Amino acid sequence: MVFAVIWFGALGHNVLIHSDEGRYATLSLGMLQSGDWLSPRLNGLLYFEKPVLPYWLGALSFQWFGINEFAARLWPALAGFLSIGLVGLTANRLWGREAGNLSAMVMGSSCWVVLNSHFLNLDTGLMAFLTLSLCSFLLAQREDAGQSARRSWMWLCWAGMAGATLSKGLIGIAIPGAVLVLYSLLFRQFAFWRRLHLVSGLIVLLLLTAPWFIQVSLKNPGFAHFFFIHEHVERFLTTEHRRSGPFWYFVPYLLVGFMPWVTLLPPILSQGLRREGRGQMQPDRLLLVWAVFVFLFFSKSGSKLPSYILPMFPALALLAGHLLSRQRPAWLLKHLLVPVLFWLSLLVATFFVQRWVSPDTPLAVLRPLAHYTALGALTFLLGAACAWRFLALERLTAAVIALSLASLASLTLIQVGYNPYAQLKSSKEIVAMLKPTPDTEVFSVRYYDQTLPFYLHRDVVLVDYVDEFELGEKTEPTRWIPTLDGFAVRWRAAHRALAMMAGDTYQQLKAQGLPMQIVYQDPRRMVVAKP
């Protein structure tokens, strides 16, 4: 209960920020407002970069809980929370109750899982469905599983792949499929292929995924090429999405993301390579292949974002829980050192917060973040002290609970302290201050804040801005203004109008004599009104 209160308690505290949170909230809100649950639209323009399931869930959340930050982030938070439960249930069935509890606590306190579960993105939902697929497969392939239970678990595994596919595309099939092939080849185990319920499983997969893909393709002829070729093949093989990085790009995100359990990685690796008994299925080995494949697959990709490696964390949590359940409490003592040093380093860094001040980031927004980070660090250190005491008393589970709750509480405090800084990347205060009337035209000129349409509760008119809107602008060219000259004509004709832009664009338009009055300005953008 305490864990759930902390997990969901601060979900609606922070404003939504540019770019992911604003983008996905706007997509869901647009779906709810338009009533078109087939073709996603971002700011009124067709948007096919990702499948539709997260937008459905977001729209339903807005419908049930209102248009607010809590509802916007509810699905990622639920996805992370359910993933924790799935990991705990699976470890419990495979290795016993203690392993289940330990695995769930490792999963629920890992830095990258916690942070991404409280941030509106698509990768946490993908992680949840892939966790469902992975855990269902492991439970289906147990040696003591009956035929009926095995079939049910495998159908649930296929349903998990369907959910993952409807969340982020073919990666929902590619990861589980590739892992099984690699596991079979590396460890010469092939018998389980006869227990996949391949025909009925494919039927489950197609029944859940095909209807939307077929209908959206029929309604939008350009969908198939854009989604399957541009967003899958080209995204993986090229760097045209401008999200490239070196091969070691994900290393720091893994090391920090698996705090406070990062020092368990070497023994986890050793455990995963060890053969357990003579059974057909070796869960530890499969989990290791899963985690390593996810990491290497996205490291090789030409498109990289920090949250891409989230699907490896459930496998790591399962391995860590199994490992911990077989150790004496004193064994964990030495593993407290690295997370304690990490949080001590953060605590020391808060005393030098002024070093990060810049024209775009004033001290006024950094100071609250530093204060809450210091409070979070002290909270974790207190939890680590409790864990050390429990370990001295030979109480491993109590120590892991103390460390897990301390990690979750510390990360939650940092997220609360982030809100003043988040205001710089959000339009909530701007909209609240300006209060545009329904008949006020709102333009976004050579600049686009993803949160602006969400907080306006309506679309804005893009001017000379393409980026991810290229498909939608080509398909429906009347929904945007491609040039500044066209904008000037529309601006002069408008009765009431507001426009968001950067400072250099304002200077260019001012030099052309366009009538504008600055009504809002910060280091990153400004809003002008028609006098």
Side-chain angles (χ1 to χ4, degrees):
M1 178 61 70
V2 173
F3 185 91
V5 169
I6 299 175
W7 188 268
F8 292 101
L11 198 59
H13 179 268
N14 288 9
V15 296
L16 298 182
I17 64 172
H18 176 88
S19 59
D20 280 4
E21 289 203 305
R23 176 190 299 114
Y24 300 126
T26 299
L27 279 156
S28 295
L29 181 59
M31 187 165 282
L32 178 64
Q33 291 176 330
S34 69
D36 182 0
W37 295 72
L38 180 63
S39 302
R41 289 179 176 272
L42 178 59
N43 189 45
L45 292 160
L46 289 171
Y47 186 85
F48 294 137
E49 291 202 2
K50 299 294 184 291
V52 74
L53 181 57
Y55 315 144
W56 287 343
L57 296 172
L60 290 173
S61 183
F62 288 139
Q63 189 173 51
W64 295 335
F65 300 102
I67 302 171
N68 54 64
E69 292 85 356
F70 175 88
R73 297 190 182 103
L74 183 57
W75 166 235
L78 279 174
F81 197 76
L82 292 173
S83 297
I84 297 167
L86 285 168
V87 164
L89 171 67
T90 303
N92 189 350
R93 295 285 186 90
L94 291 177
W95 305 303
R97 181 176 180 180
E98 185 179 24
N101 291 336
L102 294 170
S103 295
M105 286 183 282
V106 169
M107 179 71 174
S109 58
S110 295
C111 176
W112 215 224
V113 175
V114 174
L115 293 179
N116 282 281
S117 297
H118 295 82
F119 177 82
L120 178 52
N121 66 90
L122 305 186
D123 293 301
T124 311
L126 173 68
M127 177 190 71
F129 284 116
L130 287 177
T131 302
L132 175 62
S133 183
L134 171 63
C135 291
S136 299
F137 177 82
L138 290 172
L139 295 175
Q141 301 304 322
R142 290 175 298 156
E143 292 300 314
D144 59 347
Q147 183 61 33
S148 176
R150 177 168 289 144
R151 181 177 61 250
S152 298
W153 282 117
M154 280 310 306
W155 283 351
L156 196 56
C157 173
W158 288 97
M161 285 191 283
T165 302
L166 284 173
S167 294
K168 283 209 74 176
L170 298 181
I171 196 71
I173 302 171
I175 288 178
V179 167
L180 290 187
V181 170
L182 286 172
Y183 173 78
S184 297
L185 295 177
L186 288 172
F187 301 111
R188 300 178 181 276
Q189 293 202 359
F190 303 95
F192 68 84
W193 287 93
R194 298 193 298 269
R195 303 193 296 267
L196 296 184
H197 292 275
L198 192 60
V199 175
S200 59
L202 283 171
I203 291 173
V204 170
L205 177 70
L206 290 174
L207 284 176
L208 292 174
T209 58
W212 178 74
F213 281 106
I214 292 172
Q215 290 183 64
V216 75
S217 297
L218 291 174
K219 184 175 180 181
N220 304 277
F223 168 82
H225 180 271
F226 181 86
F227 182 80
F228 292 107
I229 304 300
H230 184 268
E231 285 302 306
H232 283 76
V233 178
E234 293 179 0
R235 180 180 286 269
F236 183 82
L237 295 178
T238 72
T239 60
E240 73 167 78
H241 288 81
R242 300 185 299 279
R243 294 172 178 172
S244 59
F247 187 77
W248 48 266
Y249 176 90
F250 290 108
V251 171
Y253 294 108
L254 171 61
L255 297 180
V256 176
F258 202 45
M259 287 285 180
W261 314 105
V262 64
T263 55
L264 299 183
L265 288 175
I268 281 175
L269 177 63
S270 176
Q271 173 182 280
L273 294 174
R274 188 183 305 121
R275 182 176 178 84
E276 295 278 342
R278 296 178 175 274
Q280 293 294 327
M281 177 57 59
Q282 302 286 311
D284 285 344
R285 285 183 167 183
L286 179 69
L287 291 168
L288 181 62
V289 173
W290 180 286
V292 172
F293 174 78
V294 170
F295 185 83
L296 294 179
F297 177 83
F298 288 111
S299 295
K300 178 64 176 174
S301 173
S303 179
K304 296 180 176 71
L305 283 177
S307 57
Y308 282 2
I309 59 168
L310 268 177
M312 73 183 296
F313 284 85
L316 293 177
L318 283 163
L319 286 166
H322 190 203
L323 174 71
L324 289 170
S325 69
R326 299 189 295 180
Q327 306 298 327
R328 292 184 58 83
W331 179 85
L332 189 59
L333 277 172
K334 62 184 178 181
H335 292 279
L336 293 179
L337 180 60
V338 169
V340 165
L341 290 176
F342 173 76
W343 282 98
L344 276 174
S345 300
L346 286 182
L347 179 60
V348 172
T350 62
F351 292 99
F352 303 94
V353 65
Q354 65 277 2
R355 294 176 63 91
W356 285 273
V357 173
S358 70
D360 289 347
T361 311
L363 182 60
V365 302
L366 289 178
R367 187 176 284 117
L369 179 57
H371 290 166
Y372 275 91
T373 300
L375 184 58
L378 293 172
T379 300
F380 182 85
L381 294 174
L382 177 62
C386 292
W388 181 86
R389 180 59 179 162
F390 283 129
L391 290 173
L393 296 173
E394 297 286 310
R395 297 175 61 186
L396 177 66
T397 300
V400 173
I401 290 174
L403 203 61
S404 298
L405 287 176
S407 178
L408 175 61
S410 301
L411 294 168
T412 301
L413 285 168
I414 290 177
Q415 290 178 85
V416 170
Y418 179 76
N419 193 50
Y421 178 81
Q423 303 285 350
L424 297 177
K425 303 175 69 177
S426 177
S427 292
K428 182 175 184 177
E429 287 192 346
I430 299 174
V431 172
M433 181 184 71
L434 298 179
K435 296 183 176 63
T437 59
D439 64 338
T440 301
E441 290 192 82
V442 182
F443 300 90
S444 192
V445 186
R446 287 185 175 174
Y447 180 94
Y448 181 66
D449 184 324
Q450 296 276 9
T451 67
L452 181 57
F454 175 78
Y455 285 116
L456 281 171
H457 294 182
R458 58 188 170 101
D459 301 332
V460 301
V461 181
L462 295 178
V463 178
D464 196 10
Y465 185 90
V466 179
D467 196 47
E468 60 192 324
F469 294 97
E470 182 177 6
L471 173 69
E473 290 171 345
K474 285 182 177 178
T475 305
E476 299 172 307
T478 59
R479 288 181 175 266
W480 74 302
I481 301 174
T483 66
L484 287 184
D485 290 339
F487 165 68
V489 173
R490 180 85 165 263
W491 180 264
R492 294 179 191 278
H495 178 57
R496 292 189 181 93
L498 295 170
M500 180 178 285
M501 62 188 69
D504 56 347
T505 302
Y506 170 77
Q507 294 298 333
Q508 184 176 347
L509 292 171
K510 182 180 178 181
Q512 296 176 7
L514 198 66
M516 298 176 293
Q517 177 185 352
I518 298 175
V519 292
Y520 173 87
Q521 187 171 11
D522 64 29
R524 300 166 186 251
R525 64 214 160 161
M526 63 174 58
V527 178
V528 300
K530 182 181 179 184

